């Protein structure tokens, strides 16, 4: 997926230079070019923006004021001919502060900073622990850690959730529980069974092995299960 960039500057030559620099990096796309903050707000509403190049001195609202007042902005690299705003800019959380005219070498360092920040965020998301399930059993709410689940079994309008130390019955459907489980970590193998992908040790013609537990595999689920298992 390419990085969608928005360039905000009231100088056409400055926009053209940033666009030219960006063309040297694969995976980066100029999703929009704006000459003021009003146009930028519209572009942010209409497009997915992953990185903004924002000038400071512009008509009506300058870049610093935009950063101070607008919440939940994408990562920002400031571009300006003035040095005096650098400290405040970094206090506002910008990735970098580029002085015009922007050399390609300096621009490259800013992109490297963005890439480092982006990879750190993705790594943090990857290692984040899945949230526990909160499921109603009778009049009580039960907290269940997804990592403790051995498998789930459908029983008419109910589900049996078999964990490492207990069996819990809840009123739910297979489709509803799949939406609550961590995405990509569980797979339905039969009209009556869901299992954690990481617990599958082997796949037979009509069943899967979860160590000492063996569960049936439905014919319509076999291809998806085999594909998922081969890509682990």
């Amino acid at each position: 997926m390419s990085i969608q960039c928005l360039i905000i500057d009231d100088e056409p030559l400055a926009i053209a230079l940033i666009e030219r620099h960006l063309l040297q990096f694969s995976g980066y796309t100029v999703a929009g070019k704006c000459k003021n903050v009003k146009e930028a707000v519209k572009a942010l509403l209409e497009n997915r923006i992953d990185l903004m190049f924002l000038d400071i001195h512009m008509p009506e609202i300058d870049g610093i004021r935009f950063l101070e007042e607008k919440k939940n902005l994408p990562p920002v690299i400031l571009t300006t001919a003035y040095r005096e705003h650098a400290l405040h800019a970094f206090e506002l959380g910008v990735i970098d502060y580029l002085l015009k005219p922007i050399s390609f070498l300096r621009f490259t360092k800013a992109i490297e900073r963005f890439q480092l920040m982006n990879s750190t965020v993705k790594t943090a998301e990857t290692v984040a622990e899945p949230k526990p399930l909160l499921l109603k059993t009778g009049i009580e709410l039960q907290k269940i850690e997804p990592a403790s689940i051995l498998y789930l079994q459908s029983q008419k309008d109910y589900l049996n959730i078999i964990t490492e130390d207990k069996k819990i019955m809840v009123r739910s459907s297979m489709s509803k529980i799949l939406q609550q489980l961590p995405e990509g970590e569980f797979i339905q193998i039969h009209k009556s069974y869901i299992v954690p992908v990481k617990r599958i040790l082997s796949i037979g013609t009509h069943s899967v092995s979860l160590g000492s537990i063996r569960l049936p595999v439905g014919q319509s689920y076999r291809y998806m299960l085999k594909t998922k298992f081969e890509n682990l």
Side-chain angles (χ1 to χ4, degrees), residues 120-159:
T120 302
V121 169
K122 287 180 180 177
T123 300
E125 290 172 350
T126 301
V127 300
E129 287 294 323
K131 293 180 181 178
L133 302 177
L134 288 175
L135 299 171
K136 192 172 182 181
T137 57
I139 60 172
E140 295 182 338
L141 272 176
Q142 289 259 9
K143 182 188 285 187
I144 303 169
E145 297 292 342
S148 71
I149 296 173
L150 298 177
Y151 64 93
L152 301 94
Q153 179 187 28
S154 174
Q155 196 173 33
K156 293 187 178 178
D157 296 330
Y158 292 86
L159 277 174

Side-chain angles (χ1 to χ4, degrees), residues 158-223:
Y158 292 86
L159 277 174
N160 291 318
I161 302 174
I162 291 80
T163 72
E164 293 165 344
D165 58 1
K166 58 188 172 182
K167 176 180 174 181
I168 303 158
M169 180 178 279
V170 298
R171 190 176 181 88
S172 184
S173 65
M174 299 288 269
S175 58
K176 186 177 179 181
I177 201 74
L178 270 173
Q179 292 174 2
Q180 295 174 265
L181 291 165
E183 188 177 354
E185 294 185 23
F186 287 77
I187 187 168
Q188 187 167 356
I189 62 167
H190 186 276
K191 65 180 181 180
S192 301
Y193 291 97
I194 293 171
V195 301
V197 175
K198 69 177 183 181
R199 291 190 183 270
I200 300 173
L201 298 183
S202 63
I203 302 175
T205 307
H206 302 291
S207 64
V208 298
S209 168
L210 311 177
S212 60
I213 301 168
R214 201 155 196 96
L215 298 174
V217 174
Q219 186 175 351
S220 58
Y221 300 93
R222 197 172 299 148
Y223 176 76

Side-chain angles (χ1 to χ4, degrees), residues 39-50:
E39 289 182 4
V41 170
K42 185 173 183 292
L44 287 166
L45 290 172
E46 294 176 350
N47 303 279
R48 187 197 95 232
I49 302 298
D50 304 305

